[in-house]
Structure formats: C-alpha cells, structure tokens
Amino acid sequence: QLVEFGGGSVQPGGSLRLTCTASGPSANCMAWFRQDPGKEREGVAALYTGGGSSTYYADSVKGRFTISKDNNKHMVYLDMGSLKPEDTAVYYCAADAPQTACNGGHASGFHYWGQGTQVTVS
C-alpha cells in the first residue's frame, strides 16, 4: 500500500516535499508520476534499485526535482524546487516495475499506485 502526502499550494519559485509511505516488501523501483485532467499520466522521477542503482527524471523537471528513498523508514521523497505553474497536477507514488519501465518512467509497467496528492503552483 502506498500513501502520499505533502501536496498543497505554493507560489511560483517555491518548494515542496512530497512523501510516499510504502508498506510491504521493498520494491525494486519507486517512482513519482503526475497527471492533469484530460492529460496522460507523466513520469516525473524514478529510482531503480533492483540491481545497482539508476534514476530517471523527466526533462521538464531535471535540475529542479530530486527523488530519494529512506529504506529504514520505507519512505520515498520527491523534493521539488523552482516550481512553475505547469507543475500543477495530481502527483502519484508508484512502485514495483521492470527496469525498462522504471528507467523510462512508463506508467503501464507499475503494479502499485497511491491515491495521489494535489500540487498547485499559482
């Protein structure tokens, strides 16, 4: 089970930290996606630890967002900085995907999803 929190409203240029708590066995891949109404779900960032370690970031968030994981607390974080109005969306935590899906931010490859948390930048 995945539960996200930390969303909210922030002014452009501001920062937010999203947190995802995960219950159950540790997953090989943890990721964040976002979705605006009427648009496809977009991979934002992913962290693959199934063999070695690799990360994925969407071009639109590189240099502004950072994904990290605390294995002891079973939590995954998304630190978002220099936020822009176009970052406004519902953000979802996702877990457990093959490396190809994880490294490419492909939503269809993920098995578990949180309920989402709204982030509004205005």
Side-chain angles (χ1 to χ4, degrees):
Q1 182 179 5
L2 304 174
V3 179
E4 309 96 334
F5 55 94
S9 296
V10 63
Q11 293 183 344
S15 301
L16 275 178
R17 166 175 267 200
L18 302 183
T19 301
C20 173
T21 62
S23 58
S26 181
N28 60 340
C29 175
M30 298 295 298
W32 289 94
F33 288 78
R34 65 187 180 187
Q35 189 168 23
D36 253 347
K39 295 184 179 180
E40 291 188 0
R41 192 163 293 190
E42 174 192 21
V44 175
L47 178 60
Y48 182 79
T49 55
S53 179
S54 58
T55 55
Y56 162 85
Y57 291 99
D59 288 342
S60 58
V61 306
K62 283 180 181 177
R64 301 189 298 121
F65 291 12
T66 302
I67 187 171
S68 60
K69 184 179 179 183
D70 185 329
N71 289 323
N72 291 332
K73 296 182 179 178
H74 299 282
M75 289 186 177
V76 178
Y77 308 102
L78 184 67
D79 288 296
M80 305 185 294
S82 302
L83 284 162
K84 305 175 182 180
E86 50 264 43
D87 294 318
T88 296
V90 177
Y91 282 71
Y92 298 89
C93 179
D96 194 13
Q99 188 172 9
T100 51
C102 189
N103 288 347
H106 302 303
S108 61
F110 285 78
H111 294 105
Y112 302 102
W113 292 87
Q115 82 289 349
T117 185
Q118 177 71 46
V119 171
T120 302
V121 185
S122 64

